[in-house]
Amino acid sequence: MIKRFFSSTADIPEAAAVPRHVAIIMDGNGRWAKKRLMPRVAGHAQGVERVRDIVEACIRRGIGYLTLFAFSSENWRRPQDEVNRLMELFVMALEREVDKMHRNGVCLKVVGDLSRFDQRLRDLIAQGEARTLDNARLTLTVCANYGGRWDILNAVNRWRGDNPGQDELTEDGLAAYLTLAYAPEPDLFIRTGGEQRISNFLLWQLAYAELYFTDTLWPDFDGKALDLAIASYQKRERRFGRTSEQLLER
Ligand code: IPE
Ligand code: IPE
Ligand code: MG
């Protein structure tokens, strides 16, 4: 049974001082490598190292959910060599990191349309998820072959399959079928690499997330950079549609 979290549109969630859920578009690997006259894939390898550090940094800061955009449904459009290398890096990261994640109390989830991945990668994902299923310190979600539009359509179609003949789909009903139904909505969204766009990431779930964009490239994004993002988040007034005056009255 999935625990029901507050919906930012159906309810008014409490604004927590430390974000409960941080969602990150890890962008800028290619440019990081290019600046060093290295191939783009060297930037991806460095980016994987950063994932490890940021997972640990989130644990230390008491963040319960971290969601990382690793590969979008549109990233298949990249040169075949780069796509292949990204898949290899994903396999290597799972082989090397799951033990450590498990020891650190991390629960791993991989969401997206996994059907397009090789069987070997899918097996490693399933093993990693099964092994870490009962961990509760940090839920790390890796979005792979993920697209926000895919997530919503997939939820609608699955709901329809489970509810034949029923024609009214509610917000709650849909939310339960989205890939991140097990997590509260992200409080803080971070995009590294300087672009200010969502790139088909969590379209539904980011409804009331605080957005933070930084020019720092993902392979340079460290604990200090994370603290800057959290400090920016802490200065925001999260009104969820209300007025400032109403917030003061509470
Ligand atoms: C993000 O870095 C990683 C993936 C999309 C897989 P990029 O590879 O997009 O890096 P830039 O944006 O080209 O610098
Ligand atoms: C978004 O980055 C996807 C990931 C970080 C996995 P992109 O580099 O693919 O985004 P665009 O193409 O610049 O929007
Ligand atoms: Mg990019």
Side-chain angles (χ1 to χ4, degrees):
M1 184 61 196
I2 288 172
K3 189 167 143 201
R4 188 185 171 280
F5 286 102
F6 280 110
S7 147
S8 59
T9 44
D11 323 281
I12 299 173
E14 277 297 316
V18 173
R20 278 159 300 213
H21 184 174
V22 177
I24 309 183
I25 296 188
M26 310 183 287
D27 196 20
N29 294 350
R31 280 163 284 162
W32 182 91
K34 200 172 170 194
K35 262 175 45 184
R36 287 163 180 76
L37 306 177
M38 298 196 296
R40 290 179 54 82
V41 292
H44 296 317
Q46 194 61 31
V48 175
E49 300 298 313
R50 272 302 156 221
V51 171
R52 185 195 298 133
D53 298 345
I54 290 301
V55 168
E56 286 172 14
C58 285
I59 292 173
R60 281 197 296 274
R61 285 156 184 76
I63 292 164
Y65 296 83
L66 172 65
T67 299
L68 301 175
F69 204 5
F71 192 87
S72 76
S73 40
E74 290 71 55
N75 286 144
W76 298 105
R77 298 168 179 168
R78 294 191 175 199
Q80 193 58 47
D81 276 1
E82 181 169 342
V83 170
N84 293 346
R85 187 67 192 129
L86 281 166
M87 296 301 143
E88 281 167 22
L89 277 171
F90 201 4
V91 166
M92 270 166 56
L94 285 164
E95 284 172 344
R96 285 189 196 159
E97 304 296 333
V98 169
D99 264 352
K100 191 163 180 211
M101 282 185 207
H102 188 49
R103 269 183 277 131
N104 282 340
V106 173
C107 169
L108 173 70
K109 308 256 184 227
V110 181
V111 305
D113 181 2
L114 306 185
S115 66
R116 214 171 146 181
F117 293 139
D118 283 356
Q119 196 55 47
R120 163 135 188 75
L121 181 49
R122 282 155 67 181
D123 289 347
L124 281 168
I125 290 170
Q127 285 160 19
E129 287 185 335
R131 176 117 191 266
T132 61
L133 187 65
D134 294 327
N135 295 335
R137 219 159 152 207
L138 173 92
T139 300
L140 169 66
T141 303
V142 175
C143 297
N145 193 18
Y146 177 88
R149 291 185 176 182
W150 166 84
D151 196 359
I152 295 168
L153 275 176
N154 179 55
V156 171
N157 289 327
R158 285 177 48 228
W159 175 84
R160 219 196 260 135
D162 285 352
N163 299 277
Q166 206 169 312
D167 53 27
E168 207 211 336
L169 175 54
T170 60
E171 190 180 309
D172 256 13
L174 180 66
Y177 281 85
L178 292 169
T179 51
L180 280 168
Y182 53 80
E185 291 176 36
D187 298 301
L188 172 62
F189 159 92
I190 299 172
R191 182 172 186 143
T192 65
E195 312 296 352
Q196 303 198 353
R197 54 178 171 252
I198 303 286
S199 299
N200 198 17
F201 192 30
L202 306 165
L203 297 180
W204 176 283
Q205 298 86 342
L206 292 176
Y208 269 101
E210 296 299 327
L211 307 181
Y212 178 84
F213 298 95
T214 172
D215 289 335
T216 303
L217 304 172
W218 175 250
D220 292 327
F221 192 83
D222 57 9
K224 267 195 207 143
L226 177 66
D227 285 337
L228 287 177
I230 295 173
S232 167
Y233 163 84
Q234 287 169 338
K235 288 197 209 105
R236 314 278 178 95
E237 185 178 66
R238 304 194 73 194
R239 292 192 287 274
F240 300 103
R242 296 160 299 168
T243 66
S244 291
E245 290 72 19
Q246 285 176 295
L247 290 184
L248 292 172
E249 280 162 18
R250 293 174 82 226

